[in-house]
Amino acid sequence: MKKLVLISVAAVLASTGAFAQSTIVGTTGAGHAATVQIEPQYRTRIHSYVTEHRIRPVETRERIVVGSPVPREVELEAVPADWGPSLTRYRYVYTGQRVMLVDPDTRTVVQEVE
């Protein structure tokens, strides 16, 4: 019986790890932040865009982090089409070190691009 329980636990852990590695774009359910996977070539384009266009970082009292709402006084910028078709539904904020993708409906940060 103990062996069966250990095998069951190992199977659950293995399937959870495989799920975490899968590519998910969209929301995980009502009230939850979206999980966004960004391909490496689009990460490069995002960094190039911020550098080439000399995007000015936003200044806030609170630190902007994934899962938290962006303060109302911070203007959200439209995501350029060349950042990838799956990202155009989002807006972004540049903090100086990172680009933060934001769900425009909830103003919640869904992804940090370092």
Side-chain angles (χ1 to χ4, degrees):
M1 184 68 168
K2 192 174 187 179
K3 189 175 184 179
L4 179 61
V5 170
L6 288 173
I7 291 171
S8 297
V9 169
V12 168
L13 290 175
S15 66
T16 305
F19 177 74
Q21 292 176 1
S22 65
T23 301
I24 300 171
V25 176
T27 60
T28 56
H32 292 92
T35 302
V36 180
Q37 191 73 351
I38 304 171
E39 299 297 323
Q41 71 268 20
Y42 291 123
R43 286 184 181 273
T44 302
R45 287 182 189 171
I46 293 169
H47 289 291
S48 297
Y49 181 89
V50 170
T51 303
E52 291 169 6
H53 290 88
R54 296 185 178 140
I55 303 299
R56 175 183 256 171
V58 298
E59 295 180 20
T60 61
R61 297 173 111 181
E62 306 87 23
R63 185 164 184 243
I64 298 175
V65 296
V66 174
S68 296
V70 175
R72 288 275 171 209
E73 64 271 12
V74 174
E75 185 177 347
L76 302 177
E77 301 293 334
V79 169
D82 65 341
W83 287 15
S86 66
L87 301 182
T88 56
R89 71 174 294 280
Y90 298 104
R91 301 295 178 261
Y92 78 94
V93 172
Y94 178 58
T95 65
Q97 294 83 25
R98 303 171 316 274
V99 172
M100 308 300 269
L101 292 178
V102 180
D103 181 330
D105 297 331
T106 63
R107 295 186 63 88
T108 301
V109 178
V110 296
Q111 180 70 37
E112 175 181 323
V113 183
E114 295 180 11

